[in-house]
Amino acid sequence: NLVIFRDTPAMLQQSRVPATEQNKAAALNQLKSLESRGQTDVYSAVHPVVMEPPRTGIPGIVLVVSDFRPTTGLQDNRTIINTLSNDNNLLNSIFAFGAGNTVNRYTMDLLAYRNKGRGRIAPNIESTATDLPVFFDEFSDPLLVDIRVDYGRIDKNAIFPKVIPDFYRKGAVTVYGRFDPKNDREFVMRMTGRAWNREKELVFRAKLADAAQGSASIPGNWAFAKSYHLIGEISRQGETPELLGQIRELSRKYNIRTTYDQ
């Protein structure tokens, strides 16, 4: 489906339809006839799309292209993120794309992060024609969806992200965690998911003592991954002293920078 959002959203179809040549041609014709006018209502455009659940074993992919600065309708960033994320309930993956230096990165990144997706900003609007297809290609070939992971004895509270996104052939998923070498001798990860109409299970085992030496950047990457989780919790709960304190402690200890480290 294709949704054009100005003052009010205009949907090409009433619901998602098969990507036949005829339907794709209709979408292209609508895009070619677009003119830049009116205001921007991000929430009203995305909400009816995420309310439509995907088919079992098939990823629901929602690609939002915007500056993520709504000028009409619901305009509070935190409310937009929370309401869309709650109503979506991780059924669809939201990928977000913007271009230029006016993009609201907070809304773009957190909307994608809390909905199993990721965001991308092109450095300038002129590069959109080349950068957007490259970004879209990263999630054009899905492999495994509805992923659930069990890490055995490893401390789950120190593993990020908490929700594992769907797997795509051209994109990697990096998971950061911590272990205690005195108590944790083996790493065991059991992963289950769906590929179309089949249930899949993968089990990975490794002796931690035999692991290759990691780079010096890994602790900082783990801290940044945890900070991103905490920022997502701030968007959900508000700026509580506990959450802000954790982010600032990570910033001080691991020398990372976030919007909350001042």
Side-chain angles (χ1 to χ4, degrees):
N1 207 345
L2 179 66
V3 183
I4 307 302
F5 51 99
R6 296 190 179 103
D7 304 69
T8 56
M11 302 181 71
L12 179 65
Q13 308 283 354
Q14 291 300 311
S15 60
R16 296 173 191 169
V17 296
T20 63
E21 293 303 319
Q22 181 179 1
N23 287 332
K24 288 189 288 186
L28 282 173
N29 287 334
Q30 182 166 351
L31 287 173
K32 290 177 181 178
S33 65
L34 281 182
E35 295 180 359
S36 179
R37 59 179 174 81
Q39 302 190 70
T40 303
D41 188 345
V42 176
Y43 173 79
S44 295
V46 179
H47 187 257
V49 180
V50 300
M51 293 302 291
E52 185 178 354
R55 291 175 291 165
T56 301
I58 299 293
I61 297 175
V62 180
L63 173 61
V64 186
V65 182
S66 175
D67 63 0
F68 298 90
R69 295 184 180 276
T71 55
T72 189
L74 185 59
Q75 299 180 51
D76 180 73
N77 294 326
R78 185 171 292 170
T79 304
I80 291 174
I81 294 168
N82 287 335
T83 306
L84 289 176
S85 300
N86 291 339
D87 289 346
N88 183 37
N89 196 28
L90 296 175
L91 292 176
N92 296 283
S93 297
I94 299 180
F95 294 87
F97 182 89
N101 56 13
T102 62
V103 177
N104 184 340
R105 181 181 286 274
Y106 173 87
T107 302
M108 186 195 78
D109 281 350
L110 284 181
L111 182 61
Y113 179 79
R114 287 185 52 187
N115 291 277
K116 300 191 302 180
R118 57 184 178 274
R120 174 78 59 83
I121 296 180
N124 54 71
I125 294 176
E126 288 73 19
S127 66
T128 299
T130 54
D131 291 352
L132 181 54
V134 171
F135 180 53
F136 184 81
D137 191 52
E138 293 178 5
F139 47 91
S140 63
D141 192 358
L143 298 175
L144 199 67
V145 302
D146 301 332
I147 295 173
R148 301 172 301 281
V149 179
D150 184 354
Y151 297 101
R153 294 178 55 188
I154 299 294
D155 182 10
K156 300 174 182 60
N157 294 322
I159 297 176
F160 306 96
K162 296 296 184 184
V163 177
I164 304 299
D166 297 336
F167 280 10
Y168 301 89
R169 188 180 302 277
K170 298 181 182 180
V173 175
T174 303
V175 180
Y176 291 96
R178 302 180 71 177
F179 69 94
D180 183 351
K182 295 180 180 179
N183 300 316
D184 302 318
R185 304 301 175 89
E186 187 178 40
F187 174 71
V188 180
M189 180 179 69
R190 177 177 175 267
M191 179 189 307
T192 59
R194 296 196 64 85
W196 185 221
N197 58 354
R198 294 175 294 174
E199 187 83 13
K200 296 285 186 177
E201 179 179 284
L202 302 172
V203 178
F204 176 79
R205 292 177 178 270
K207 291 184 178 180
L208 293 170
D210 296 338
Q213 182 69 33
S215 71
S217 64
I218 289 180
N221 291 341
W222 171 84
F224 190 79
K226 181 176 180 178
S227 294
Y228 225 87
H229 166 74
L230 293 171
I231 293 172
E233 288 302 298
I234 286 177
S235 74
R236 192 197 317 265
Q237 303 177 30
E239 296 179 353
T240 67
E242 179 183 359
L243 292 172
L244 290 174
Q246 289 186 62
I247 290 177
R248 287 166 180 158
E249 174 64 16
L250 288 168
S251 176
R252 182 195 62 80
K253 186 175 181 179
Y254 294 94
N255 194 30
I256 61 172
R257 296 189 62 82
T258 73
T259 56
Y260 292 97
D261 64 347
Q262 299 299 326

